[in-house]
Amino acid sequence: MNMEKIKVALLGVIALTLIVNTYLQSSGGKSNFIPPSEVPQSNVVTSNSPVQQGQVNPIANPITNQPNPQANNQLTPPITQPAQPAGPSTSVKFENYKHDFGNIKQNSENTKVFKFTNTGTEDMIIADAKGSCGCTVPNYPKEPIPPGGIGEIEVTYRPGTQKAQQNKTVTVTANTEPAQTILTISAFVEEEGS
């Protein structure tokens, strides 16, 4: 009885050793597998696309790099967490969270400065500020704002050829509680010549 268990265990070890050796030899000692969340979008391959030699197929079997028939044909984009500075949290208060430019013309440049105060007891560090589209560009302080300090986020809205009512947002990510603050701008964009 014990002899059979030993034989089965030895066969398992031998099989595992063969699999690992085969894998290492086929990959030159390096792993070709990259988790889908770390694959750059330019390297994403669908199951219907041919895989070039040396290219990683994220839905393939990680050992053979051959398509995995059980893999879902749809790759989901990686979930990205917004950048947030490490360290203690603070709090922030903006004078205004919304601004309406009113009626503006196409291809105009419109700027609003959102002033804020660090109302907490720690330095405020803004990790990022992003507009909801390329037409809304925020400029934010890169240096820490001390407790009680005042800062400004300048938001420039260029509507281009957009027209009619427009609502855009800027998401400010900092070591605040909550970590994200949403600023909103709006405008009614009139066509040039009208």
Side-chain angles (χ1 to χ4, degrees):
M1 191 75 127
N2 283 338
M3 197 58 130
E4 283 186 55
K5 287 182 181 179
I6 293 172
K7 286 180 183 176
V8 170
L10 285 174
L11 285 174
V13 169
I14 291 170
L16 183 61
T17 304
L18 287 173
I19 291 170
V20 170
N21 283 340
T22 303
Y23 174 66
L24 290 176
Q25 286 175 355
S26 69
S27 66
K30 295 179 183 173
S31 172
N32 286 332
F33 180 73
I34 299 174
S37 63
E38 295 177 18
V39 174
Q41 289 302 311
S42 61
N43 286 348
V44 172
V45 180
T46 64
S47 62
N48 297 331
S49 303
V51 178
Q52 303 296 322
Q53 185 169 2
Q55 189 175 22
V56 176
N57 183 346
I59 60 172
N61 179 315
I63 295 175
T64 63
N65 201 32
Q66 297 301 313
N68 182 350
Q70 290 147 354
N72 185 350
N73 287 341
Q74 299 295 324
L75 291 177
T76 55
I79 297 171
T80 56
Q81 296 297 324
Q84 183 174 353
S89 293
T90 191
S91 56
V92 64
K93 177 146 179 50
F94 280 81
E95 287 181 1
N96 298 306
Y97 293 85
K98 296 180 180 182
H99 178 72
D100 186 354
F101 286 110
N103 289 9
I104 61 173
K105 294 286 187 187
Q106 288 179 326
N107 298 307
S108 61
E109 186 170 298
N110 309 275
T111 301
K112 165 65 179 168
V113 175
F114 289 90
K115 293 184 178 181
F116 63 89
T117 303
N118 177 356
T119 56
T121 58
E122 302 290 337
D123 283 354
M124 178 181 169
I125 301 167
I126 300 177
D128 197 14
K130 284 194 176 180
S132 56
C133 74
C135 61
T136 308
V137 181
N139 184 17
Y140 61 94
K142 309 301 188 274
E143 67 282 347
I145 308 296
I150 295 173
E152 297 179 344
I153 296 179
E154 182 181 272
V155 178
T156 302
Y157 172 55
R158 296 178 187 95
T161 58
Q162 296 172 355
K163 51 187 168 179
Q165 185 63 41
Q166 301 293 320
N167 298 298
K168 308 296 178 185
T169 61
V170 171
T171 303
V172 180
T173 305
N175 63 325
T176 53
E177 189 58 47
Q180 292 187 330
T181 302
I182 307 293
L183 305 174
T184 305
I185 60 166
S186 57
F188 187 86
V189 183
E190 299 174 341
E191 291 187 63
E192 287 183 308
S194 61

